Amino acid sequence: MLNGKQIVLGVTGGIAVYKAVELVRLLTKAGADVHVIMTRSATEFVGPLTFQTLTANPVHTEIFNLIAEREIGHIALADRADLFIIAPATANVIGKIAGGIADDMLTTTVMATRASVLIAPAMNVNMCTNPIYRENEEKLRRHGYRFVAPVKGMLACGWEGEGKLQDPAIIMEEAVCALTRQDLVGERVLVTAGPTLEEIDPVRFISNHSSGKMGYSIARAARRRGAEVVLVAGPTCLDDPWGIETVHVCSAAEMRDAVMERVAASTVIVKAAAVADYCPKSRAAGKIKKSADAMVLELEKNPDILAEVGRVKGDRVLVGFAAETSDLVENARKKLTGKNLDLVVANDIGQPGAGFNVDTNIAKLLHRDGRVEELPLMGKDEMATIILDRAAGLRKQGMRGEE
Ligand code: PMT
């Protein structure tokens, strides 16, 4: 995800320094080359050796260290950064940067960098709400510095409130956003994911093996590219993705209502959910008791949400999925034309590594002009990026058509 990216991480003095260790682990695991600068007070909480061991790079602590300056000076460090993160960032360091003070290795390097700067503050609640701190933060935001707001909770100083360093996984997500091309800014992307669940009685239901992974990957990828995203999700075991409005539904009927309410406000709609085609004609109020040897369950058709969206889609880009075990292209093409779609992602779910409940997928993309693109086995995150590339291209084409 961050393969080959150069990240300079500034660590300042506060109890949350130990969480910066976890952040470094996440960044390096994602392929980033991390260079740590610690302020003198940060070294009081965690030794530089911890960061040096995890990053396999020397840790910078002193501006006037002659050897370190000769090997890689603060300007070289500032220049090599694709992204500069400061986590945890104290009120002191934020105040210094806002005031243009550059009196140590960290503040000098951050002042000299042309990379995006992402600041994750951590401090006492009263410092956090202090109008001087607020002004400093606002000033830096105006200058394009990005912030990952601290969260509320029990603080190390004994106070309760806003000021805890955000979860390292969320700082990491914001770092990925900061490093992603923002080509979907202004787009409002509606994604469906997961299975639907059709109740037979209070105990039993009809559903399918969809884990939601494909749809969640698309939603996350769209947000990273700057889109506003709404995710309508059937029951899954996945955590709500950070920064995305997630609407939880159960049945196809509920999913239909949640989607139709939001179509008008969307510019791109991607329907990755595995919606049950049928549901029980009636739901028994009590548990159905075992009696005869056989039992017949009467089913009725669920609304076809994709087809309904296709009828009202206007100039929105509409992407459907198809999960097939035979005649993949023929069946997917019928969906493309029959439901008025712009693109179909056809999964051959019979192939190992494709379709339901795995981290990878194999698909064919069917375009309206008859083109069929083969997507070999790849991670669902990677496939999500390609699907969004095509959707972004279709949006651009549509906009050119309007001119
Ligand atoms: O969730 P994962 O474990 O990651 O698995 C991913 C996936 C295999 C579920 C996904 O990639 C996928 O293929 N989703 C569509 C599965 C499906 O229901 O296919 P379908 O051929 O039955 O439906 C075609 C399209 O119509 C889909 O976009 C579906 O969302 C939509 N549909 C179907 C029925 C219905 N009543 N309403 C719909 O909107």
Side-chain angles (χ1 to χ4, degrees), residues 322-335 346-348 364 366:
E324 305 289 345
T325 49
S326 61
D327 303 321
L328 180 65
V329 172
E330 295 72 11
N331 286 328
R333 206 182 296 287
K334 273 186 209 149
K335 285 174 185 155
N347 303 299
D348 187 351
K364 289 186 181 11
L366 276 72

Side-chain angles (χ1 to χ4, degrees), residues 109-400:
T109 314
V110 82
M111 193 67 75
T113 193
R114 298 183 71 173
S116 292
V117 181
L118 178 67
I119 299 178
M123 62 193 74
N124 163 271
V125 58
N126 296 331
M127 292 167 94
C128 204
T129 50
N130 185 310
I132 297 171
Y133 167 73
R134 291 288 187 209
E135 268 176 35
N136 287 336
E137 181 182 324
E138 262 170 51
K139 180 177 177 185
L140 289 178
R141 280 184 190 273
R142 272 201 314 279
H143 286 289
Y145 288 71
R146 304 164 80 114
F147 278 78
V148 192
V151 289
K152 285 187 180 158
M154 197 66 200
L155 304 174
C157 56
W159 282 77
E160 204 176 337
E162 193 185 358
K164 266 172 94 77
L165 183 72
Q166 184 54 271
D167 184 338
I170 289 170
I171 301 173
M172 163 83 181
E173 179 62 27
E174 289 299 316
V176 173
C177 289
L179 286 165
T180 304
R181 191 164 40 105
Q182 298 293 288
D183 62 341
L184 293 181
V185 171
E187 300 293 348
R188 294 181 304 277
V189 179
L190 176 61
V191 182
T192 69
T196 63
L197 189 153
E198 316 295 332
E199 289 196 350
I200 298 167
D201 68 12
V203 180
R204 301 153 180 120
F205 56 82
I206 298 171
S207 191
N208 58 64
H209 293 297
S210 171
S211 62
K213 287 180 180 177
M214 189 69 243
Y216 276 58
S217 287
I218 294 167
R220 253 194 324 267
R223 180 185 181 264
R224 286 175 182 167
R225 289 164 75 155
E228 249 178 69
V229 183
V230 179
L231 174 64
V232 176
T236 75
C237 298
L238 305 175
D239 291 336
D240 287 1
W242 169 249
I244 292 176
E245 181 191 342
T246 305
V247 182
H248 293 280
V249 297
C250 196
S251 64
E254 284 172 23
M255 185 173 276
R256 182 233 162 245
D257 292 350
V259 168
M260 294 315 294
E261 254 172 51
R262 291 168 175 83
V263 168
S266 309
T267 56
V268 176
I269 301 161
V270 185
K271 289 221 66 260
V275 184
D277 288 322
Y278 293 90
C279 66
K281 201 159 183 186
S282 61
R283 176 192 183 276
K287 184 182 170 193
I288 299 170
K289 288 287 171 204
K290 186 167 54 180
S291 50
D293 284 347
M295 176 188 163
V296 175
L297 193 61
E298 205 178 345
L299 302 178
E300 65 183 7
K301 236 181 180 166
N302 265 329
D304 189 323
I305 311 166
L306 188 57
E308 200 171 336
V309 177
R311 285 194 286 275
V312 297
K313 83 178 201 63
D315 58 4
R316 293 170 191 84
V317 168
L318 181 57
V319 181
F321 272 70
E324 305 289 345
T325 49
S326 61
D327 303 321
L328 180 65
V329 172
E330 295 72 11
N331 286 328
R333 206 182 296 287
K334 273 186 209 149
K335 285 174 185 155
L336 181 74
T337 49
K339 300 189 189 192
N340 192 24
L341 312 180
D342 297 293
L343 186 72
V344 176
V345 184
N347 303 299
D348 187 351
I349 55 171
Q351 292 194 60
F356 293 98
N357 207 9
V358 282
D359 291 331
T360 52
N361 209 355
I362 305 169
K364 289 186 181 11
L365 297 187
L366 276 72
H367 295 258
R368 273 180 102 113
D369 59 10
R371 270 178 306 134
V372 178
E373 270 185 89
E374 308 257 352
L375 303 185
L377 181 74
M378 63 179 77
K380 282 181 176 168
D381 282 347
E382 204 183 331
M383 190 170 285
T385 300
I386 297 174
I387 295 166
L388 289 172
D389 285 347
R390 303 300 174 267
L394 288 164
R395 278 289 293 161
K396 270 204 200 110
Q397 262 175 35
M399 283 182 220
R400 273 201 296 273

